[in-house]
Amino acid sequence: MASNRDEQLTFINSSISSSVGEGDSSQIGSASGSFQNEGFLGGFDGGDDDFGFSRSEFRQSLVVGTVKYYERHVFLCYKKPQVWPPRIEAAEFDRLPRLLSAALASRKSDMKRQTRLTICEGHDGTETSNGDVLIFPDMIRYRRLTHFDVDTFVEEVLVKDGEWLPGSPEPLRGSYIFVCAHGARDKRCGVCGPALVSRFKDEIELRGHQSKVSVRPCSHIGGHKYAGNVIVFGSNNQGKVTGHWYGYVMPDDVPTLLEQHIEKGVIVDWLWRGQMGLSEEDQMKAQEQRVLENGGGSMERNIQDTTVAVHADGSKVAPGGGCCQGNGSSACCGNSDPSENAVDFNLGSMLSGEKRNGSKNHQISINVGNKGGSTPHKVCTMPTWLETWESEDVYAALALIGAAVSVAVAYNCYRQLG
């Protein structure tokens, strides 16, 4: 297996992650039970309104630059999401995932590439794949790893970048899609993940891509609040294997991801969280560059949602607010067809807190999937001359106007009394 031995590698251990909740720092998947005992952990209360695609927080944050830097992703195929506990180190009776996690952590200083470990479902169609290991961007599979082989496997494959004997690497071809469905770790992933997996499978079959595209549920990958979370591995248009993360994915977005990313090799920027091999800052720079190359400063996605304007300071403008409210004929509003609601991201103020054109309040407009509200709106930016005003200048001007009005009223009253 070819590798770049000059690359630095450290293993990211899940032990530093937080308890059940956001846990964005965790980079280890988890699994539970044993091959012989696949007990069900039980469901949870709540549904789409609380934890699914209609939850109040859905699409209320920008997703770009939310993937922590890493260089290699290892997936251990192991059982089903229904039996995975919140954390792999708590899987007392599951030696394979627990020992693999421990071995990677203990050899982190010896590895040359920063590596993630995640658990994915151990069923490949009708075939059981428990113990299989998938490695990206190497695009290889090792079959039937057991707990007896863990130390040797980590040493030969992940430390020395060699081959594990008696196993032999099988090449992976096509695209591999992983969807976080780790409900025991976070309920949002438990609601959104299975729905996305089901839609992906339906669309893949509809398009006849069964031999080209594989989809599996996986354990926690970080960023629960961005559920549904999706990772796509495969070769780009230049033949380089890449790993792209998407967040806030809905079932209706699945055809777009398949058409654009899988079939055309085009990144769907408005859902794009980041990429394996890029730092968070580089992810934002990469997206900004793509946006500029595609026409300058905005990304558009045709969806039937309401629009929320999010300013750089985090404040929001309610749908229908601003200069477009009640003024459909205004040139700044730009009436649009309901089926072609635009999602606009102004990335000018995102990088390193830079302020451009002297403006303190750069506006970002996003279409979000909140409940109700199918009427299209366009959030318009303020005139450029007004953007450059400081808030103190605005207050001073208003004070002067108020004083002038007061003097005029007083003078008018004086004349009437005289």
mmCIF file of all heavy atoms in Angstrom, residues 1-4 7 9 70-75 113-116 134-141 158 161 171-174 176 232-235 239-244 275-277:
data_model
loop_
_atom_site.group_PDB
_atom_site.id
_atom_site.type_symbol
_atom_site.label_atom_id
_atom_site.label_comp_id
_atom_site.label_asym_id
_atom_site.label_seq_id
_atom_site.Cartn_x
_atom_site.Cartn_y
_atom_site.Cartn_z
ATOM 1 N N MET A 1 0.838 -1.177 0.000
ATOM 2 C CA MET A 1 0.000 0.000 0.000
ATOM 3 C C MET A 1 0.877 1.233 0.000
ATOM 4 O O MET A 1 1.672 1.454 0.896
ATOM 5 C CB MET A 1 -0.896 -0.015 1.248
ATOM 6 C CG MET A 1 -1.756 1.219 1.414
ATOM 7 S SD MET A 1 -2.906 0.992 2.782
ATOM 8 C CE MET A 1 -1.765 0.709 4.118
ATOM 9 N N ALA A 2 0.714 2.029 -1.000
ATOM 10 C CA ALA A 2 1.537 3.223 -1.132
ATOM 11 C C ALA A 2 1.152 4.238 -0.083
ATOM 12 O O ALA A 2 0.012 4.369 0.322
ATOM 13 C CB ALA A 2 1.374 3.824 -2.525
ATOM 14 N N SER A 3 2.122 5.016 0.358
ATOM 15 C CA SER A 3 1.859 6.039 1.356
ATOM 16 C C SER A 3 2.914 7.112 1.286
ATOM 17 O O SER A 3 3.967 6.940 0.681
ATOM 18 C CB SER A 3 1.835 5.432 2.765
ATOM 19 O OG SER A 3 3.107 4.936 3.087
ATOM 20 N N ASN A 4 2.615 8.216 1.936
ATOM 21 C CA ASN A 4 3.571 9.297 2.033
ATOM 22 C C ASN A 4 4.134 9.286 3.438
ATOM 23 O O ASN A 4 3.481 9.665 4.386
ATOM 24 C CB ASN A 4 2.880 10.639 1.748
ATOM 25 C CG ASN A 4 3.848 11.799 1.765
ATOM 26 O OD1 ASN A 4 5.014 11.620 2.140
ATOM 27 N ND2 ASN A 4 3.379 12.954 1.373
ATOM 28 N N GLU A 7 4.256 12.431 5.862
ATOM 29 C CA GLU A 7 3.070 13.012 6.477
ATOM 30 C C GLU A 7 3.056 12.704 7.968
ATOM 31 O O GLU A 7 3.340 11.600 8.397
ATOM 32 C CB GLU A 7 1.799 12.469 5.835
ATOM 33 C CG GLU A 7 1.605 12.920 4.400
ATOM 34 C CD GLU A 7 0.322 12.361 3.847
ATOM 35 O OE1 GLU A 7 0.282 11.172 3.575
ATOM 36 O OE2 GLU A 7 -0.625 13.128 3.702
ATOM 37 N N LEU A 9 1.289 11.883 11.477
ATOM 38 C CA LEU A 9 0.075 11.171 11.828
ATOM 39 C C LEU A 9 -0.060 11.135 13.338
ATOM 40 O O LEU A 9 0.867 10.765 14.046
ATOM 41 C CB LEU A 9 0.123 9.744 11.280
ATOM 42 C CG LEU A 9 -1.157 8.923 11.447
ATOM 43 C CD1 LEU A 9 -1.225 7.896 10.343
ATOM 44 C CD2 LEU A 9 -1.200 8.223 12.789
ATOM 45 N N TYR A 70 -8.043 16.037 9.678
ATOM 46 C CA TYR A 70 -7.528 14.669 9.771
ATOM 47 C C TYR A 70 -7.156 14.207 8.375
ATOM 48 O O TYR A 70 -7.511 14.835 7.376
ATOM 49 C CB TYR A 70 -8.553 13.737 10.419
ATOM 50 C CG TYR A 70 -9.719 13.333 9.536
ATOM 51 C CD1 TYR A 70 -9.854 12.031 9.069
ATOM 52 C CD2 TYR A 70 -10.708 14.248 9.175
ATOM 53 C CE1 TYR A 70 -10.923 11.648 8.275
ATOM 54 C CE2 TYR A 70 -11.777 13.884 8.383
ATOM 55 C CZ TYR A 70 -11.882 12.576 7.933
ATOM 56 O OH TYR A 70 -12.940 12.199 7.139
ATOM 57 N N GLU A 71 -6.419 13.099 8.279
ATOM 58 C CA GLU A 71 -5.871 12.668 6.995
ATOM 59 C C GLU A 71 -6.298 11.273 6.558
ATOM 60 O O GLU A 71 -6.116 10.912 5.397
ATOM 61 C CB GLU A 71 -4.341 12.706 7.062
ATOM 62 C CG GLU A 71 -3.771 14.082 7.350
ATOM 63 C CD GLU A 71 -2.309 14.025 7.701
ATOM 64 O OE1 GLU A 71 -1.988 13.749 8.876
ATOM 65 O OE2 GLU A 71 -1.477 14.245 6.799
ATOM 66 N N ARG A 72 -6.814 10.483 7.494
ATOM 67 C CA ARG A 72 -7.180 9.106 7.138
ATOM 68 C C ARG A 72 -8.381 8.695 7.978
ATOM 69 O O ARG A 72 -8.478 9.033 9.148
ATOM 70 C CB ARG A 72 -6.001 8.158 7.392
ATOM 71 C CG ARG A 72 -6.312 6.689 7.141
ATOM 72 C CD ARG A 72 -5.046 5.833 7.154
ATOM 73 N NE ARG A 72 -4.291 5.971 8.397
ATOM 74 C CZ ARG A 72 -3.080 5.442 8.580
ATOM 75 N NH1 ARG A 72 -2.487 4.775 7.607
ATOM 76 N NH2 ARG A 72 -2.459 5.594 9.735
ATOM 77 N N HIS A 73 -9.301 7.961 7.347
ATOM 78 C CA HIS A 73 -10.514 7.524 8.036
ATOM 79 C C HIS A 73 -10.611 6.005 7.976
ATOM 80 O O HIS A 73 -10.614 5.420 6.886
ATOM 81 C CB HIS A 73 -11.753 8.159 7.405
ATOM 82 C CG HIS A 73 -12.853 8.394 8.376
ATOM 83 N ND1 HIS A 73 -13.675 9.506 8.344
ATOM 84 C CD2 HIS A 73 -13.278 7.664 9.448
ATOM 85 C CE1 HIS A 73 -14.551 9.447 9.330
ATOM 86 N NE2 HIS A 73 -14.324 8.325 10.003
ATOM 87 N N VAL A 74 -10.683 5.396 9.155
ATOM 88 C CA VAL A 74 -10.806 3.941 9.276
ATOM 89 C C VAL A 74 -12.213 3.613 9.767
ATOM 90 O O VAL A 74 -12.654 4.151 10.791
ATOM 91 C CB VAL A 74 -9.754 3.386 10.262
ATOM 92 C CG1 VAL A 74 -9.960 1.882 10.471
ATOM 93 C CG2 VAL A 74 -8.342 3.664 9.761
ATOM 94 N N PHE A 75 -12.907 2.763 9.050
ATOM 95 C CA PHE A 75 -14.245 2.316 9.442
ATOM 96 C C PHE A 75 -14.195 0.823 9.790
ATOM 97 O O PHE A 75 -13.758 0.008 8.973
ATOM 98 C CB PHE A 75 -15.254 2.532 8.313
ATOM 99 C CG PHE A 75 -15.624 3.970 8.099
ATOM 100 C CD1 PHE A 75 -14.844 4.784 7.296
ATOM 101 C CD2 PHE A 75 -16.753 4.514 8.693
ATOM 102 C CE1 PHE A 75 -15.166 6.115 7.090
ATOM 103 C CE2 PHE A 75 -17.098 5.839 8.497
ATOM 104 C CZ PHE A 75 -16.303 6.640 7.699
ATOM 105 N N ARG A 113 -0.040 9.666 9.786
ATOM 106 C CA ARG A 113 -1.229 10.389 9.335
ATOM 107 C C ARG A 113 -2.254 10.455 10.455
ATOM 108 O O ARG A 113 -2.499 9.462 11.137
ATOM 109 C CB ARG A 113 -1.834 9.721 8.092
ATOM 110 C CG ARG A 113 -1.057 9.960 6.824
ATOM 111 C CD ARG A 113 -1.767 9.328 5.627
ATOM 112 N NE ARG A 113 -1.634 7.876 5.605
ATOM 113 C CZ ARG A 113 -2.291 7.084 4.756
ATOM 114 N NH1 ARG A 113 -3.135 7.615 3.882
ATOM 115 N NH2 ARG A 113 -2.106 5.791 4.780
ATOM 116 N N GLN A 114 -2.854 11.607 10.624
ATOM 117 C CA GLN A 114 -3.868 11.790 11.652
ATOM 118 C C GLN A 114 -5.119 11.001 11.253
ATOM 119 O O GLN A 114 -5.674 11.203 10.168
ATOM 120 C CB GLN A 114 -4.194 13.277 11.796
ATOM 121 C CG GLN A 114 -4.939 13.619 13.059
ATOM 122 C CD GLN A 114 -4.879 15.096 13.364
ATOM 123 O OE1 GLN A 114 -3.991 15.799 12.896
ATOM 124 N NE2 GLN A 114 -5.834 15.583 14.125
ATOM 125 N N THR A 115 -5.563 10.121 12.149
ATOM 126 C CA THR A 115 -6.527 9.099 11.772
ATOM 127 C C THR A 115 -7.780 9.136 12.628
ATOM 128 O O THR A 115 -7.697 9.312 13.839
ATOM 129 C CB THR A 115 -5.883 7.700 11.882
ATOM 130 O OG1 THR A 115 -4.746 7.643 11.036
ATOM 131 C CG2 THR A 115 -6.861 6.606 11.495
ATOM 132 N N ARG A 116 -8.923 8.952 11.990
ATOM 133 C CA ARG A 116 -10.206 8.800 12.678
ATOM 134 C C ARG A 116 -10.624 7.335 12.633
ATOM 135 O O ARG A 116 -10.394 6.651 11.636
ATOM 136 C CB ARG A 116 -11.302 9.609 11.995
ATOM 137 C CG ARG A 116 -11.271 11.100 12.263
ATOM 138 C CD ARG A 116 -12.412 11.771 11.516
ATOM 139 N NE ARG A 116 -12.474 13.197 11.764
ATOM 140 C CZ ARG A 116 -13.312 13.775 12.612
ATOM 141 N NH1 ARG A 116 -14.165 13.033 13.276
ATOM 142 N NH2 ARG A 116 -13.301 15.085 12.786
ATOM 143 N N LEU A 134 -12.548 -0.789 6.496
ATOM 144 C CA LEU A 134 -12.467 0.038 5.290
ATOM 145 C C LEU A 134 -11.564 1.224 5.603
ATOM 146 O O LEU A 134 -11.722 1.878 6.643
ATOM 147 C CB LEU A 134 -13.851 0.534 4.879
ATOM 148 C CG LEU A 134 -14.982 -0.505 4.851
ATOM 149 C CD1 LEU A 134 -16.291 0.163 4.463
ATOM 150 C CD2 LEU A 134 -14.655 -1.646 3.911
ATOM 151 N N ILE A 135 -10.623 1.532 4.707
ATOM 152 C CA ILE A 135 -9.662 2.595 4.956
ATOM 153 C C ILE A 135 -9.686 3.593 3.798
ATOM 154 O O ILE A 135 -9.532 3.213 2.634
ATOM 155 C CB ILE A 135 -8.238 2.042 5.130
ATOM 156 C CG1 ILE A 135 -8.211 0.983 6.247
ATOM 157 C CG2 ILE A 135 -7.251 3.165 5.459
ATOM 158 C CD1 ILE A 135 -6.854 0.323 6.428
ATOM 159 N N PHE A 136 -9.874 4.876 4.135
ATOM 160 C CA PHE A 136 -9.891 5.959 3.155
ATOM 161 C C PHE A 136 -8.845 7.006 3.558
ATOM 162 O O PHE A 136 -8.644 7.246 4.744
ATOM 163 C CB PHE A 136 -11.272 6.612 3.109
ATOM 164 C CG PHE A 136 -12.390 5.665 2.812
ATOM 165 C CD1 PHE A 136 -13.094 5.041 3.844
ATOM 166 C CD2 PHE A 136 -12.739 5.362 1.502
ATOM 167 C CE1 PHE A 136 -14.115 4.158 3.576
ATOM 168 C CE2 PHE A 136 -13.774 4.480 1.218
ATOM 169 C CZ PHE A 136 -14.454 3.879 2.259
ATOM 170 N N PRO A 137 -8.132 7.632 2.624
ATOM 171 C CA PRO A 137 -8.318 7.617 1.170
ATOM 172 C C PRO A 137 -7.647 6.457 0.458
ATOM 173 O O PRO A 137 -7.609 6.433 -0.776
ATOM 174 C CB PRO A 137 -7.672 8.930 0.742
ATOM 175 C CG PRO A 137 -6.547 9.091 1.702
ATOM 176 C CD PRO A 137 -7.067 8.587 3.014
ATOM 177 N N ASP A 138 -7.107 5.484 1.216
ATOM 178 C CA ASP A 138 -6.418 4.357 0.597
ATOM 179 C C ASP A 138 -7.339 3.516 -0.284
ATOM 180 O O ASP A 138 -6.871 2.801 -1.174
ATOM 181 C CB ASP A 138 -5.781 3.482 1.667
ATOM 182 C CG ASP A 138 -4.904 4.275 2.618
ATOM 183 O OD1 ASP A 138 -5.489 4.952 3.506
ATOM 184 O OD2 ASP A 138 -3.687 4.259 2.482
ATOM 185 N N MET A 139 -8.642 3.584 0.008
ATOM 186 C CA MET A 139 -9.651 2.835 -0.756
ATOM 187 C C MET A 139 -9.341 1.344 -0.754
ATOM 188 O O MET A 139 -9.262 0.684 -1.787
ATOM 189 C CB MET A 139 -9.742 3.361 -2.195
ATOM 190 C CG MET A 139 -10.314 4.756 -2.329
ATOM 191 S SD MET A 139 -12.069 4.903 -1.884
ATOM 192 C CE MET A 139 -12.869 4.109 -3.291
ATOM 193 N N ILE A 140 -9.174 0.791 0.468
ATOM 194 C CA ILE A 140 -8.940 -0.643 0.599
ATOM 195 C C ILE A 140 -9.818 -1.213 1.703
ATOM 196 O O ILE A 140 -10.270 -0.493 2.601
ATOM 197 C CB ILE A 140 -7.458 -0.968 0.898
ATOM 198 C CG1 ILE A 140 -7.008 -0.275 2.184
ATOM 199 C CG2 ILE A 140 -6.560 -0.599 -0.267
ATOM 200 C CD1 ILE A 140 -5.609 -0.685 2.617
ATOM 201 N N ARG A 141 -10.045 -2.517 1.604
ATOM 202 C CA ARG A 141 -10.804 -3.256 2.619
ATOM 203 C C ARG A 141 -9.978 -4.459 3.074
ATOM 204 O O ARG A 141 -9.402 -5.184 2.250
ATOM 205 C CB ARG A 141 -12.127 -3.753 2.036
ATOM 206 C CG ARG A 141 -12.951 -4.620 3.010
ATOM 207 C CD ARG A 141 -13.907 -5.551 2.258
ATOM 208 N NE ARG A 141 -14.850 -4.832 1.443
ATOM 209 C CZ ARG A 141 -16.102 -4.531 1.816
ATOM 210 N NH1 ARG A 141 -16.526 -4.895 3.008
ATOM 211 N NH2 ARG A 141 -16.888 -3.883 1.009
ATOM 212 N N LEU A 158 -1.430 0.521 9.821
ATOM 213 C CA LEU A 158 -1.639 1.924 10.175
ATOM 214 C C LEU A 158 -0.382 2.622 10.691
ATOM 215 O O LEU A 158 -0.300 3.849 10.627
ATOM 216 C CB LEU A 158 -2.756 2.029 11.210
ATOM 217 C CG LEU A 158 -4.103 1.445 10.765
ATOM 218 C CD1 LEU A 158 -5.141 1.570 11.869
ATOM 219 C CD2 LEU A 158 -4.596 2.111 9.492
ATOM 220 N N ASP A 161 2.321 1.443 7.378
ATOM 221 C CA ASP A 161 1.741 1.640 6.042
ATOM 222 C C ASP A 161 2.071 0.480 5.123
ATOM 223 O O ASP A 161 2.349 0.663 3.934
ATOM 224 C CB ASP A 161 2.210 2.962 5.417
ATOM 225 C CG ASP A 161 1.573 4.166 6.092
ATOM 226 O OD1 ASP A 161 0.431 4.038 6.561
ATOM 227 O OD2 ASP A 161 2.220 5.217 6.155
ATOM 228 N N PRO A 171 -9.173 -3.801 -3.149
ATOM 229 C CA PRO A 171 -9.445 -2.420 -3.576
ATOM 230 C C PRO A 171 -10.928 -2.090 -3.494
ATOM 231 O O PRO A 171 -11.788 -2.931 -3.783
ATOM 232 C CB PRO A 171 -8.941 -2.392 -5.019
ATOM 233 C CG PRO A 171 -9.004 -3.813 -5.473
ATOM 234 C CD PRO A 171 -8.719 -4.654 -4.268
ATOM 235 N N LEU A 172 -11.226 -0.864 -3.081
ATOM 236 C CA LEU A 172 -12.600 -0.373 -3.066
ATOM 237 C C LEU A 172 -12.812 0.494 -4.297
ATOM 238 O O LEU A 172 -11.978 1.335 -4.621
ATOM 239 C CB LEU A 172 -12.860 0.449 -1.804
ATOM 240 C CG LEU A 172 -12.733 -0.283 -0.464
ATOM 241 C CD1 LEU A 172 -12.915 0.692 0.689
ATOM 242 C CD2 LEU A 172 -13.750 -1.415 -0.357
ATOM 243 N N ARG A 173 -13.909 0.303 -4.963
ATOM 244 C CA ARG A 173 -14.206 1.070 -6.180
ATOM 245 C C ARG A 173 -15.550 1.770 -6.041
ATOM 246 O O ARG A 173 -16.426 1.319 -5.328
ATOM 247 C CB ARG A 173 -14.208 0.146 -7.404
ATOM 248 C CG ARG A 173 -12.843 -0.473 -7.691
ATOM 249 C CD ARG A 173 -12.874 -1.342 -8.955
ATOM 250 N NE ARG A 173 -11.544 -1.833 -9.294
ATOM 251 C CZ ARG A 173 -11.004 -2.928 -8.801
ATOM 252 N NH1 ARG A 173 -11.702 -3.676 -7.942
ATOM 253 N NH2 ARG A 173 -9.790 -3.310 -9.161
ATOM 254 N N GLY A 174 -15.674 2.873 -6.738
ATOM 255 C CA GLY A 174 -16.911 3.620 -6.688
ATOM 256 C C GLY A 174 -16.919 4.611 -5.538
ATOM 257 O O GLY A 174 -15.881 5.065 -5.072
ATOM 258 N N TYR A 176 -18.449 5.718 -1.614
ATOM 259 C CA TYR A 176 -18.927 5.180 -0.339
ATOM 260 C C TYR A 176 -19.536 6.310 0.482
ATOM 261 O O TYR A 176 -18.885 7.320 0.733
ATOM 262 C CB TYR A 176 -17.785 4.503 0.418
ATOM 263 C CG TYR A 176 -17.444 3.150 -0.156
ATOM 264 C CD1 TYR A 176 -16.718 3.045 -1.339
ATOM 265 C CD2 TYR A 176 -17.890 1.973 0.453
ATOM 266 C CE1 TYR A 176 -16.425 1.808 -1.896
ATOM 267 C CE2 TYR A 176 -17.604 0.733 -0.102
ATOM 268 C CZ TYR A 176 -16.872 0.658 -1.270
ATOM 269 O OH TYR A 176 -16.598 -0.570 -1.823
ATOM 270 N N VAL A 232 -19.042 11.490 2.135
ATOM 271 C CA VAL A 232 -18.942 10.830 0.833
ATOM 272 C C VAL A 232 -17.465 10.669 0.475
ATOM 273 O O VAL A 232 -16.725 11.648 0.400
ATOM 274 C CB VAL A 232 -19.650 11.644 -0.272
ATOM 275 C CG1 VAL A 232 -19.568 10.891 -1.607
ATOM 276 C CG2 VAL A 232 -21.096 11.909 0.110
ATOM 277 N N PHE A 233 -17.039 9.417 0.261
ATOM 278 C CA PHE A 233 -15.682 9.120 -0.179
ATOM 279 C C PHE A 233 -15.714 8.631 -1.622
ATOM 280 O O PHE A 233 -16.584 7.847 -2.004
ATOM 281 C CB PHE A 233 -15.036 8.037 0.692
ATOM 282 C CG PHE A 233 -14.776 8.460 2.110
ATOM 283 C CD1 PHE A 233 -15.668 8.140 3.117
ATOM 284 C CD2 PHE A 233 -13.644 9.187 2.432
ATOM 285 C CE1 PHE A 233 -15.436 8.529 4.427
ATOM 286 C CE2 PHE A 233 -13.398 9.582 3.739
ATOM 287 C CZ PHE A 233 -14.304 9.251 4.733
ATOM 288 N N GLY A 234 -14.746 9.058 -2.389
ATOM 289 C CA GLY A 234 -14.641 8.620 -3.773
ATOM 290 C C GLY A 234 -13.641 9.475 -4.516
ATOM 291 O O GLY A 234 -13.077 10.430 -3.974
ATOM 292 N N SER A 235 -13.409 9.149 -5.770
ATOM 293 C CA SER A 235 -12.452 9.881 -6.596
ATOM 294 C C SER A 235 -13.115 11.111 -7.196
ATOM 295 O O SER A 235 -14.257 11.046 -7.656
ATOM 296 C CB SER A 235 -11.908 8.984 -7.703
ATOM 297 O OG SER A 235 -11.232 7.867 -7.155
ATOM 298 N N GLY A 239 -9.202 12.319 -10.309
ATOM 299 C CA GLY A 239 -8.793 10.983 -9.916
ATOM 300 C C GLY A 239 -8.275 10.871 -8.499
ATOM 301 O O GLY A 239 -7.840 9.794 -8.078
ATOM 302 N N LYS A 240 -8.315 11.953 -7.728
ATOM 303 C CA LYS A 240 -7.846 11.929 -6.343
ATOM 304 C C LYS A 240 -8.985 11.527 -5.421
ATOM 305 O O LYS A 240 -10.112 11.992 -5.559
ATOM 306 C CB LYS A 240 -7.314 13.306 -5.941
ATOM 307 C CG LYS A 240 -6.831 13.378 -4.507
ATOM 308 C CD LYS A 240 -6.376 14.795 -4.150
ATOM 309 C CE LYS A 240 -5.936 14.883 -2.696
ATOM 310 N NZ LYS A 240 -5.521 16.256 -2.330
ATOM 311 N N VAL A 241 -8.692 10.632 -4.466
ATOM 312 C CA VAL A 241 -9.708 10.191 -3.519
ATOM 313 C C VAL A 241 -9.913 11.284 -2.468
ATOM 314 O O VAL A 241 -8.955 11.753 -1.839
ATOM 315 C CB VAL A 241 -9.303 8.878 -2.840
ATOM 316 C CG1 VAL A 241 -10.328 8.476 -1.779
ATOM 317 C CG2 VAL A 241 -9.164 7.767 -3.885
ATOM 318 N N THR A 242 -11.139 11.687 -2.277
ATOM 319 C CA THR A 242 -11.476 12.737 -1.325
ATOM 320 C C THR A 242 -12.572 12.258 -0.384
ATOM 321 O O THR A 242 -13.296 11.301 -0.682
ATOM 322 C CB THR A 242 -11.963 14.010 -2.046
ATOM 323 O OG1 THR A 242 -13.104 13.674 -2.870
ATOM 324 C CG2 THR A 242 -10.865 14.605 -2.918
ATOM 325 N N GLY A 243 -12.679 12.929 0.750
ATOM 326 C CA GLY A 243 -13.747 12.653 1.703
ATOM 327 C C GLY A 243 -14.450 13.946 2.055
ATOM 328 O O GLY A 243 -13.854 14.820 2.682
ATOM 329 N N HIS A 244 -15.691 14.106 1.620
ATOM 330 C CA HIS A 244 -16.442 15.351 1.818
ATOM 331 C C HIS A 244 -17.565 15.132 2.822
ATOM 332 O O HIS A 244 -18.288 14.140 2.757
ATOM 333 C CB HIS A 244 -17.010 15.850 0.491
ATOM 334 C CG HIS A 244 -15.956 16.314 -0.468
ATOM 335 N ND1 HIS A 244 -15.442 17.585 -0.456
ATOM 336 C CD2 HIS A 244 -15.307 15.655 -1.471
ATOM 337 C CE1 HIS A 244 -14.527 17.709 -1.404
ATOM 338 N NE2 HIS A 244 -14.428 16.558 -2.030
ATOM 339 N N GLN A 275 -13.837 18.938 4.464
ATOM 340 C CA GLN A 275 -13.183 17.877 3.697
ATOM 341 C C GLN A 275 -12.026 17.275 4.477
ATOM 342 O O GLN A 275 -11.290 17.975 5.172
ATOM 343 C CB GLN A 275 -12.672 18.463 2.374
ATOM 344 C CG GLN A 275 -11.935 17.488 1.480
ATOM 345 C CD GLN A 275 -11.476 18.145 0.201
ATOM 346 O OE1 GLN A 275 -11.966 19.205 -0.175
ATOM 347 N NE2 GLN A 275 -10.527 17.526 -0.482
ATOM 348 N N MET A 276 -11.872 15.971 4.358
ATOM 349 C CA MET A 276 -10.710 15.285 4.900
ATOM 350 C C MET A 276 -9.445 15.866 4.274
ATOM 351 O O MET A 276 -9.375 16.037 3.063
ATOM 352 C CB MET A 276 -10.805 13.786 4.585
ATOM 353 C CG MET A 276 -9.614 12.946 5.016
ATOM 354 S SD MET A 276 -9.863 11.180 4.659
ATOM 355 C CE MET A 276 -9.945 11.210 2.845
ATOM 356 N N GLY A 277 -8.461 16.204 5.111
ATOM 357 C CA GLY A 277 -7.205 16.732 4.602
ATOM 358 C C GLY A 277 -7.118 18.239 4.590
ATOM 359 O O GLY A 277 -6.075 18.786 4.236
#
